[in-house]
Each structure stands twice: as C-alpha cells, then as structure tokens.
Amino acid sequence: METIKIKEVCPTSTLELIKRNYLLLDVREENEFNQFSFDVPRVLNIPMSQLTERMNEIPKDEKVILACLTGERSLRAVQFLNEYGFTNLLNMKKGLSKWAQKEYPIKGESIVQEKLCCGEHSNCK
C-alpha cells in the first residue's frame, strides 16, 4: 500500500484559496458547527461521524480544504477520503482555533477567542 503525502495549508493560505473558489469542508460535528463556524462563501459541514454515508456530497472534481477545530480530525478525514479516490484535498493545519485566533471571519460565538473582562464587573482589574 502506497503512502500518500497529505498536503497541508495554514489558515492564511486557506483564506487565499477560498477566494479562488476552493470549497471548505468542515468535519466537526453538527453541534460544534452550529455553535461557531467559518464565515466563508463555500463551506460544507459533513461531520467525521457521517463521512462514510455522505462522501458522495463532496465534489471529486473540485479542490477541497478540510478543516476541524485543531486540524487533527480533518487530517484523518483526508487520509480516509484518499482511500476512496479523492485526490484534490488539502488539510488546514491548526484548524478553526487558529483561524479564529487570527480574527478571520467566523459565524457564531467563538469559544477560542479570549473573553475580555469589563463592564459591570467592578472586581475586574
């Protein structure tokens, strides 16, 4: 069995590739995706747990970047999909957590970004 070298991109490169019409595939579970997600034009959510049943939704003729919260699940998903003949896949290193840290567009409430303490809490310093 041959080993396939998985191509990885950072969030900054991902942002550029999305502008070139790459599809972003988020493999996080639906509840994670609904809490907060990438705010980009073409994002598809197929949870890792549903990948086998739903892989037909992933276009084989398009370039697709896989992402999750940290880049670990998406890396496993790329390896899995490669076995089924998907060749135009990239893995986004460090995932949505790094994306949000860089303040790239997100929808929803990020659990990653630090909450600033201020306002009515008089005990904040």
Side-chain angles (χ1 to χ4, degrees), residues 17-32:
L17 293 171
I18 286 168
K19 290 176 186 170
R20 292 190 220 152
N21 214 28
Y22 276 58
L23 175 66
L24 186 65
L25 173 58
D26 190 330
V27 296
R28 296 176 303 136
E29 294 305 309
E30 202 174 325
N31 62 330
E32 295 175 87

Side-chain angles (χ1 to χ4, degrees), residues 1 7 16 21-22 30 44-45 47 52 61-62 67-68 72 78 83 89 94 96-97 100 103 114-115 119:
M1 188 168 146
K7 295 182 187 129
E16 286 307 308
N21 214 28
Y22 276 58
E30 202 174 325
L44 177 63
N45 176 228
T52 306
D61 58 342
E62 280 192 56
C68 62
E72 296 299 316
V78 169
E83 293 174 21
L89 305 176
K94 303 198 190 303
L96 184 56
S97 59
E103 298 184 354
E114 295 292 325
K115 300 282 182 248

Side-chain angles (χ1 to χ4, degrees), residues 39-94:
D39 189 6
V40 296
R42 300 183 67 227
V43 64
L44 177 63
N45 176 228
I46 300 178
M48 188 81 173
S49 61
Q50 299 172 19
L51 215 45
T52 306
E53 304 85 52
R54 296 180 59 194
M55 72 171 73
N56 62 322
E57 296 174 39
I58 306 164
K60 279 194 173 181
D61 58 342
E62 280 192 56
K63 294 189 182 311
V64 182
I65 302 168
L66 278 75
C68 62
L69 187 63
T70 64
E72 296 299 316
R73 276 180 285 182
S74 54
L75 184 62
R76 287 199 310 274
V78 169
Q79 292 166 332
F80 174 78
L81 290 169
N82 274 332
E83 293 174 21
Y84 287 89
F86 287 87
T87 55
N88 292 332
L89 305 176
L90 298 169
N91 181 53
M92 187 172 107
K93 290 187 288 191
K94 303 198 190 303

